[in-house]
Amino acid sequence: MNRTTFLAYARRAPFGGRLTQSQIDGMNAILDEWDRRQSTGNVIDNRWLAYMLATVFHETGGTMQPVTENLNYSAARLTQVWPSRFPTIASAKPFAQNPRKLANKVYGGRMGNAAPDDGWLYRGRGLPQITGKENYDKLGLADAPETAAEMPTAIRILFDGMIRGMFTGQ
């Protein structure tokens, strides 16, 4: 693939005419791993690359860099994002602008999160956001969840997760 041409097209859409160096670096890291895997005989359909790039664009808010889930919401926003958990402003207020408490509320007791602070420890991180101790464990990161936000690990998660179908729910 001609990366100059690719980046010129990417710059137009979906990036609205501008790319930061950080966005270019993120896409190059993904393309480098794509090339590496293709060169080892693991030929992967080019549509997967398009899907991976689109997923990373969406999951990172266009930064193309690993991110850590913020979870710093107002009470009003909590009722929109998690209406079944926070049906009223009053029910959301104790969790508003309290990311740790919110993570433990919305992620605690599920996805393998069993200990009191697991929701916070295993909140979303990476290029595709992995969430929950069970998912971190599947990727060998349960003992060091923060590494999911480091580019080399985030790239491995992206490729291994997509190729092994870990993000499909099947």
Side-chain angles (χ1 to χ4, degrees):
M1 166 192 311
N2 181 317
R3 290 194 189 190
T4 302
T5 302
F6 168 77
L7 291 171
Y9 278 100
R11 184 173 286 110
R12 283 189 229 150
F15 293 95
R18 298 187 57 99
L19 282 174
T20 66
Q21 188 60 51
S22 181
Q23 290 167 319
I24 292 168
D25 292 346
M27 285 188 282
N28 276 327
I30 294 166
L31 295 172
D32 288 346
E33 181 64 11
W34 176 263
D35 290 344
R36 188 190 72 73
R37 291 191 184 224
Q38 296 289 75
S39 72
T40 61
N42 295 322
V43 178
I44 310 165
D45 188 315
N46 286 338
R47 291 174 293 184
W48 287 31
L49 175 60
Y51 184 73
M52 286 184 211
L53 288 164
T55 297
V56 170
F57 178 83
H58 174 76
E59 294 276 320
T60 68
T63 69
M64 307 308 282
Q65 292 292 317
V67 295
T68 299
E69 190 173 15
N70 183 324
L71 295 167
N72 193 19
Y73 293 101
S74 68
R77 184 70 179 136
L78 287 173
T79 64
Q80 295 168 343
V81 175
W82 286 288
S84 64
R85 293 180 185 274
F86 305 106
T88 65
I89 296 288
S91 66
K93 277 187 179 179
F95 301 91
Q97 274 76 49
N98 191 334
R100 183 179 224 122
K101 187 173 183 178
L102 176 61
N104 288 320
K105 163 80 172 171
V106 298
Y107 298 140
R110 61 192 195 101
M111 298 180 291
N113 295 333
D117 209 31
D118 279 357
W120 176 251
L121 291 173
Y122 301 106
R123 67 192 181 280
R125 289 187 188 87
L127 290 168
Q129 296 284 289
I130 61 165
T131 307
K133 186 175 183 180
E134 184 176 277
N135 291 322
Y136 278 85
D137 193 40
K138 285 179 189 175
L139 291 156
L141 301 173
D143 292 334
E146 67 284 348
T147 62
E150 297 169 2
M151 184 60 90
T153 304
I155 291 284
R156 180 180 64 80
I157 291 166
L158 173 67
F159 278 82
D160 291 350
M162 293 280 186
I163 291 166
R164 293 175 13 206
M166 295 175 69
F167 306 135
T168 66
Q170 299 179 13

